[in-house]
Amino acid sequence: MNTKERDAAYVAGTYKRFPLEIVSGKGSLVYDETGKEYIDLGSGIAVTSFGVADAIWQRAVTQQISQVQHMSNLYYTAPCGKLAEMLCRRTGMKKVFFSNSGAESNECAIKAARKYAAETHGPDCFTIVTLKNSFHGRTLTTLAATGQEHYHELFRPLTPGFAHVTAGDIEELTALAETTKIAGVLIECVQGEGGVVPLDKAYVQALAAFCRERDILLMVDEVQTGNGRTGQLYAYMHYGIQPDIVSTAKGLAGGLPLGATLLGDKVENVLGYGDHGSTFGGNPVCCAAAVSVLERIDENLLSQVRQKSEYLFSTFTGAEGIEAVTGLGLMIGLKTKKPAGQMVADCMENGVLCLTAKEKVRLLPALNIPMDTLQKAAEIILRSCADGR
Ligand SMILES: *Cc1c(COP(=O)(O)O)cnc(C)c1O
């Protein structure tokens, strides 16, 4: 059997894969089994922050692997504390819990919010409010948090204690607070899986004020938007707010599994001995990778992300076959005349890997994609939109 046949025979059928086997890569270029080259604008869904097989990232990982790859959380290892310190210093948050994925980083946020609210406001204060069209993960609890019915259908009963309100409608949330004790509100500043939809700044600020007045925890899911993706270290930094809890994962370790839940002033000591845990959480190799990723996300890199974003917005806005451009930084959604699935297939044939998000084409290039590579990819996308193929 070849790779595709073996996969079809033995791997659970949860993924509709593209008919493409990637065997290697360098930076923003990847190669399939025939040696054909592609410009990668998906980055493993916002994971490979500095592209594939990046030399600095490789050095950080192999150096740590050659020292010790895992010791469990029964012992100290240096990269874990070093990364936590970096995250806290750059966000103003106070403590970090490490896990292995986005869903788990949200799970920890939800547990921390529930414990804080129960201790502070009583055991009937547990409801977590999220937004319609949101995505927060695939575990039963983070599915319950996800404000899209179609993800729920086959898996009821989900974890109780979640409510969903319309993004942009602060009255709906205020009305809900009349009847329901709310422990926390969890938002994505840019809804990623929901179609690359940035939240309105005035709404987010009103939401933050609403939470502050009522001692409701403001939680921001930065799993996709975090770690430089939007042109700030975290997307909430565009919005002039200070969350109580931030969850992140995807791009944090540049291609190794690592989730982090950042806890602010109010909740820094909420989780005590035995309240939460993860065997792999804070793994030294993943943390060493993340330290090297964060060290490189400085103001210079962030300004390059913003410049490349401006280039993409100005190139695509009003172009033939493109109806709308949405997003923030290097997290871009294109509403194209051609169906998004067809666009992705055409681009792939022409050597560019894109993603979809709902009805849009979604672009999540490496943060350091060279400008000429980005230009070449943009030209191929423009041609596909205008349908020269
Ligand atoms: C991808 C994503 C998740 C889930 O992350 P996993 O690592 O797949 O568990 C959660 N929230 C947001 C906003 C995401 O984009």
Side-chain angles (χ1 to χ4, degrees), residues 180-203:
T180 307
K181 284 182 116 181
I182 301 173
V185 176
L186 174 64
I187 59 168
E188 298 157 271
C189 288
V190 184
Q191 296 185 327
E193 302 306 309
V196 200
V197 189
L199 296 184
D200 177 61
K201 188 168 180 179
Y203 171 68

Side-chain angles (χ1 to χ4, degrees), residues 45 100-106 135-139 142 188 190-193 221-225 247 249-250 331 362:
I45 318 186
N100 319 285
S101 67
E104 286 170 282
S105 71
N106 284 328
F135 182 83
H136 298 296
R138 302 282 198 158
T139 64
T142 55
E188 298 157 271
V190 184
Q191 296 185 327
E193 302 306 309
D221 178 341
E222 296 267 7
V223 172
Q224 190 162 158
T225 53
S247 54
K250 286 198 169 95
M331 184 173 175
R362 175 171 42 160

Side-chain angles (χ1 to χ4, degrees), residues 34 55 66 105 113 153 156-157 173 198 219 244 282 318 333 345-346 367 381 386:
T34 69
S66 68
S105 71
E153 272 153 21
R156 294 182 207 284
L173 180 61
M219 307 191 278
D244 299 301
D346 292 352
L367 303 180
I381 293 170

Side-chain angles (χ1 to χ4, degrees), residues 18 339-352 354 384 389:
F18 293 113
Q342 187 62 50
M343 278 291 306
V344 170
D346 292 352
C347 287
M348 188 182 299
E349 202 178 308
N350 296 322
V352 174
C354 310
S384 294
R389 296 252 313 174

Side-chain angles (χ1 to χ4, degrees), residues 304-332:
Q304 285 173 34
V305 168
R306 295 192 291 267
Q307 277 166 30
K308 286 169 192 167
S309 177
E310 276 167 35
Y311 163 74
L312 290 176
F313 268 92
S314 66
T315 301
F316 292 135
T317 303
E320 192 184 344
I322 297 183
E323 290 167 350
V325 189
T326 63
L328 199 57
L330 287 178
M331 184 173 175
I332 303 244

Side-chain angles (χ1 to χ4, degrees), residues 47-358:
V47 166
T48 48
S49 304
F50 290 96
V52 173
D54 173 82
I56 298 170
W57 179 88
Q58 271 185 340
R59 217 174 302 133
V61 169
T62 51
Q63 206 261 336
Q64 183 58 46
I65 272 190
S66 68
Q67 273 183 253
V68 55
Q69 82 276 29
H70 181 81
M71 271 311 292
S72 87
N73 283 303
L74 297 173
Y75 308 97
Y76 296 96
T77 50
C80 173
K82 194 168 172 195
L83 176 60
E85 180 183 16
M86 285 173 92
L87 286 167
C88 288
R89 282 184 193 250
R90 293 185 66 177
T91 59
M93 305 300 275
K94 293 289 163 18
K95 295 269 165 62
V96 183
F97 179 86
F98 290 113
S99 55
N100 319 285
S101 67
E104 286 170 282
S105 71
N106 284 328
E107 188 90 15
C108 175
I110 293 161
K111 282 180 77 172
R114 281 211 172 159
K115 189 171 176 216
Y116 174 82
E119 285 176 353
T120 314
H121 302 294
D124 58 340
C125 184
F126 53 75
T127 297
I128 308 284
V129 178
T130 70
L131 300 180
K132 289 176 185 162
N133 197 45
S134 59
F135 182 83
H136 298 296
R138 302 282 198 158
T139 64
L140 284 172
T141 296
T142 55
L143 268 187
T146 293
Q148 300 188 58
E149 275 295 306
H150 71 97
Y151 285 108
H152 296 175
E153 272 153 21
L154 304 170
F155 303 105
R156 294 182 207 284
L158 303 177
T159 306
F162 288 87
H164 311 292
V165 297
T166 311
D169 187 347
I170 198 80
E171 273 83 43
E172 191 181 336
L173 180 61
T174 313
L176 180 68
E178 302 285 311
T179 57
T180 307
K181 284 182 116 181
I182 301 173
V185 176
L186 174 64
I187 59 168
E188 298 157 271
C189 288
V190 184
Q191 296 185 327
E193 302 306 309
V196 200
V197 189
L199 296 184
D200 177 61
K201 188 168 180 179
Y203 171 68
V204 172
Q205 294 193 341
L207 190 72
F210 168 90
C211 289
R212 204 178 324 116
E213 284 155 18
R214 291 167 174 78
D215 192 27
I216 292 169
L217 296 173
L218 176 60
M219 307 191 278
V220 183
D221 178 341
E222 296 267 7
V223 172
Q224 190 162 158
T225 53
N227 313 302
R229 175 57 49 194
T230 68
Q232 291 284 355
L233 182 58
Y234 291 103
Y236 77 78
M237 294 170 174
H238 290 280
Y239 285 81
I241 57 166
Q242 184 62 41
D244 299 301
I245 303 181
V246 172
S247 54
T248 190
K250 286 198 169 95
L252 178 58
L256 286 176
L258 181 64
T261 309
L262 283 53
L263 305 167
D265 289 308
K266 282 187 184 177
V267 288
E268 66 169 311
N269 296 316
V270 149
L271 297 176
Y273 285 131
D275 285 344
H276 201 37
S278 166
T279 299
F280 281 112
N283 170 277
V285 179
C286 299
C287 287
V291 165
S292 95
V293 166
L294 279 187
E295 273 172 350
R296 296 164 77 184
I297 304 177
D298 55 11
E299 195 37 56
N300 179 42
L301 181 93
L302 291 172
S303 100
Q304 285 173 34
V305 168
R306 295 192 291 267
Q307 277 166 30
K308 286 169 192 167
S309 177
E310 276 167 35
Y311 163 74
L312 290 176
F313 268 92
S314 66
T315 301
F316 292 135
T317 303
E320 192 184 344
I322 297 183
E323 290 167 350
V325 189
T326 63
L328 199 57
L330 287 178
M331 184 173 175
I332 303 244
L334 303 176
K335 175 87 189 69
T336 53
K337 285 221 173 72
K338 242 199 251 179
Q342 187 62 50
M343 278 291 306
V344 170
D346 292 352
C347 287
M348 188 182 299
E349 202 178 308
N350 296 322
V352 174
L353 302 183
C354 310
L355 305 167
T356 62
K358 288 224 159 147

